[in-house]
Amino acid sequence: QVQLLESGGGSVPAGGSLRLSCATSVSPASLCMGWFRQAPGKESEGIATTYFASTNYQDSVKGRFTIYRDNAKKVLYLQMNSLKPEDTGMYYCAANGFGCRGRWPYDYNNWGQGTQVTVSS
């Protein structure tokens, strides 16, 4: 079981930036990890994943968001630039200790509580 705790959410105007953090209870070095978001009234969607040196992004965030990890600090990050109102939602960190399974954005068995991101127009 991997415990995850997100932070870094907030309210920003369109065009602004935020960096989300996900503290993990174990080193994220060998974990399949991802960021998901759920907008009001919509289903959760995977937006970025990382596994070892591999990263993948949903088309809507490519070029604006960057997922990366600091294994020594045991933190997963999501740097979000050029934010848009449609990026508003609750952002969740997810991890799987047994590699990436299933189809992208993959299946996860560990989830954080989420952090809220609100982008105003």
Side-chain angles (χ1 to χ4, degrees):
Q1 190 79 2
V2 181
Q3 295 180 333
L4 307 170
L5 181 63
E6 303 94 333
S7 62
S11 297
V12 295
S17 297
L18 282 173
R19 187 179 73 166
L20 305 184
S21 299
C22 174
T24 64
S25 59
V26 300
S27 172
S30 61
L31 300 176
C32 179
M33 299 197 73
W35 284 98
F36 287 71
R37 70 182 174 199
Q38 186 165 20
K42 296 186 177 181
E43 293 187 357
S44 176
E45 58 179 351
I47 56 173
T49 62
T50 181
Y51 183 51
F52 288 102
S54 174
T55 59
N56 288 282
Y57 299 91
Q58 188 197 81
D59 286 346
S60 68
V61 306
K62 283 181 180 177
R64 299 189 298 123
F65 291 11
T66 302
I67 186 172
Y68 64 101
R69 65 182 85 196
D70 186 323
N71 295 329
K73 293 183 178 179
K74 297 192 291 184
V75 181
L76 176 74
Y77 297 100
L78 184 69
Q79 177 66 46
M80 306 187 294
N81 299 327
S82 302
L83 282 161
K84 305 175 181 180
E86 51 264 44
D87 293 319
T88 293
M90 185 70 78
Y91 282 68
Y92 297 91
C93 171
N96 189 336
F98 301 99
C100 293
R101 304 292 176 87
R103 300 179 65 178
W104 196 89
Y106 309 123
D107 301 324
Y108 298 91
N109 54 4
N110 299 278
W111 293 85
Q113 296 299 306
T115 185
Q116 177 69 36
V117 172
T118 303
V119 185
S120 57
S121 57

